[in-house]
Amino acid sequence: MALSSGLGTVLTFFLFFCVFEASDALPQKFFNVMNYGAVADGKTDNSQAFLKAWKYACEYGGRSRVLIPPTTFLLGSVTFQGPCKGSMAFLIKGTLKAPTDSSKFFINTWIGFRYLNDLTVKGGGSLDGQGSAAWGYNDCAQNSQCPPLPTTLRFDFVNNSRVHHLRSINSKNSHFSIFACNNMNISHVKIMAPSNSPNTDGIHIGSSRNIQISRSTIGTGDDCIAMIAGSQNIDIFDVFCGPGHGISIGSLGRDHENDYVQGIHIRNCTFAGTENGVRIKTWSPSLKSLASDMRFEDIFMKNASNPIVIDQEYCPRAPCIPEARTNSLLR
Ligand SMILES: *[C@@H]1O[C@H](CO)[C@@H](O)[C@H](O)[C@H]1NC(C)=O
Ligand SMILES: *[C@@H]1O[C@H](CO)[C@@H](O)[C@H](O)[C@H]1NC(C)=O
Ligand SMILES: *[C@@H]1O[C@H](CO)[C@@H](O)[C@H](O)[C@H]1NC(C)=O
Ligand SMILES: *[C@@H]1O[C@H](CO)[C@@H](O)[C@H](O)[C@H]1NC(C)=O
């Protein structure tokens, strides 16, 4: 009797673990950054506390939720890496502020996510890149010898992810960068920077496929959305762009042979007070490149200076001939 009931218990436990292993059904668990040493005074750098919360969340096998409560945190340059054992959510309820000093960022990133599968970033909070001091280096936009400025939110090698209900303001460089990602949905984001802030692209996509951007408002000093080489199957709808330089494909053909952009669908988007509307550009002179299968539907232009631009001699800063560039670097 005692033996059979003992065996029953063992069997029950065994089944219990089998089920959890197989279905990834461990309960959702919150990892509040406050429990890992975060200080919400807006002055203390919380990089270590955030990374520690991420580490424990990443090692948990179930649905991990890193929680940033609704208050203001200063956060230095951090990259949250996978692979993780279960699905990850990053819930930003408060405001994260970047350091103003541009020299303190690693790999041109303020907040990075990389090598992840099944990531959600959401929460209704804000990312404040505190870019205005960095934009002061106006010459940097013209001068390749300046240190590159950090992107606010960078996704590299991330699959099956979602970003929604998030605000990004005053990034030092691009707001969001998506590189080598597959299957990402971005919706209900609000991205803002002044119309005269240099290089503050809203969403910059390269080497990525199956990306959907919808129900969002983007107003910046550069492209609202830019798709460069390797962007494939990008679906953009219900996006309001303005101010900014519009939605751009390219420029292609500057550094690599066979740059391509393929399968772009842009529908029901509004451009208001923008320098351009929709734009396709290849570099001058251009290496062999391809942009194909592009559809633009129900595009509304309100006071867009150049509603449709197809530029096969893209030359942002004349003169573009190689000799002249060399000369200007020697100056
Ligand atoms: C993302 O998907 C690609 C295949 O599309 C795969 O090679 C890569 O390992 C995946 N990355 C992660 C972090 O799961
Ligand atoms: C993105 O949204 C589409 C529906 O519009 C859905 O089929 C797809 O699974 C979503 N992807 C992710 C990663 O949530
Ligand atoms: C077009 O986008 C706007 C938001 O910019 C939205 O309110 C509207 O419902 C969309 N229209 C259709 C037909 O989806
Ligand atoms: C048109 O857009 C420009 C910026 O491109 C802005 O300065 C101007 O005020 C806008 N005019 C109207 C009537 O909205």
Side-chain angles (χ1 to χ4, degrees):
M1 203 52 194
L3 180 67
S4 78
S5 118
L7 194 61
T9 311
V10 170
L11 273 177
T12 311
F13 266 91
F14 184 69
L15 283 174
F16 196 73
F17 280 109
C18 278
V19 167
F20 276 7
E21 281 285 322
S23 68
D24 184 29
L26 277 177
Q28 155 177 301
K29 188 167 168 182
F30 286 91
F31 297 82
N32 186 332
V33 292
M34 300 308 282
N35 299 334
Y36 297 88
V39 181
D41 60 1
K43 290 185 298 202
T44 307
D45 178 359
N46 287 289
S47 306
Q48 292 315 313
F50 277 50
L51 287 168
K52 200 167 168 190
W54 175 267
K55 176 175 179 287
Y56 283 97
C58 185
E59 285 168 359
Y60 177 65
R63 291 166 55 216
S64 294
R65 307 190 138 219
V66 175
L67 175 68
I68 294 124
T71 171
T72 300
F73 296 91
L74 179 69
L75 179 66
S77 177
V78 283
T79 291
F80 302 105
Q81 302 222 20
C84 294
K85 288 191 175 153
S87 72
M88 301 294 290
F90 206 83
L91 304 181
I92 304 170
K93 297 200 177 287
T95 296
L96 304 183
K97 277 186 186 287
T100 47
D101 181 351
S102 304
S103 67
K104 293 189 172 155
F105 290 80
F106 308 108
I107 48 173
N108 309 340
T109 304
W110 176 25
I111 302 169
F113 291 94
R114 43 168 58 195
Y115 311 128
L116 288 159
N117 185 32
D118 199 352
L119 168 73
T120 303
V121 180
K122 62 176 182 178
S126 297
L127 307 176
D128 181 353
Q130 304 217 85
S132 60
W135 305 327
Y137 302 115
N138 258 334
D139 283 351
C140 282
Q142 322 286 331
N143 181 348
S144 58
Q145 290 178 337
C146 285
L149 295 170
T151 290
T152 284
L153 190 55
R154 188 186 286 276
F155 299 91
D156 297 312
F157 305 97
V158 173
N159 296 338
N160 307 313
S161 55
R162 291 151 296 273
V163 180
H164 57 95
H165 297 96
L166 198 60
R167 272 159 40 102
S168 177
I169 61 170
N170 297 340
S171 61
K172 291 181 168 62
N173 199 326
S174 296
H175 286 84
F176 296 179
S177 161
I178 297 165
F179 177 75
C181 295
N182 182 17
N183 194 16
M184 173 180 279
N185 290 355
I186 299 178
S187 69
H188 300 99
V189 297
K190 187 157 191 182
I191 293 176
M192 282 172 299
S195 61
N196 61 356
S197 57
N199 301 318
T200 51
D201 279 350
I203 302 177
H204 192 90
I205 304 171
S207 301
S208 296
R209 58 205 165 93
N210 306 318
I211 310 293
Q212 182 182 286
I213 300 171
S214 65
R215 301 181 189 95
S216 294
T217 299
I218 306 173
T220 74
D222 206 320
D223 292 335
C224 289
I225 300 174
M227 289 161 274
I228 61 160
S231 299
Q232 196 178 351
N233 196 12
I234 315 290
D235 195 15
I236 299 171
F237 58 94
D238 302 1
V239 168
F240 182 97
C241 168
H245 296 181
I247 296 185
S248 295
I249 292 166
S251 52
L252 302 176
R254 177 166 72 160
D255 300 321
H256 304 282
E257 189 110 29
N258 296 327
D259 276 354
Y260 71 92
V261 168
Q262 218 165 15
I264 310 295
H265 194 185
I266 302 175
R267 56 199 155 98
N268 189 36
C269 291
T270 299
F271 296 82
T274 53
E275 184 183 287
N276 309 294
V278 292
R279 179 160 68 143
I280 304 167
K281 49 189 178 162
T282 56
W283 206 261
S284 171
S286 180
L287 297 165
K288 204 172 93 185
S289 56
L290 172 73
S292 70
D293 185 15
M294 290 173 286
R295 280 195 291 160
F296 303 87
E297 288 174 73
D298 301 329
I299 305 295
F300 302 90
M301 303 283 178
K302 297 177 184 164
N303 184 26
S305 307
N306 311 298
I308 299 173
V309 179
I310 299 174
D311 183 357
Q312 298 210 268
E313 290 183 335
Y314 182 61
C315 176
R317 283 176 286 280
C320 287
I321 48 173
E323 290 75 9
R325 279 202 193 162
T326 310
N327 285 341
S328 75
L329 279 178
L330 286 173
R331 164 172 59 93

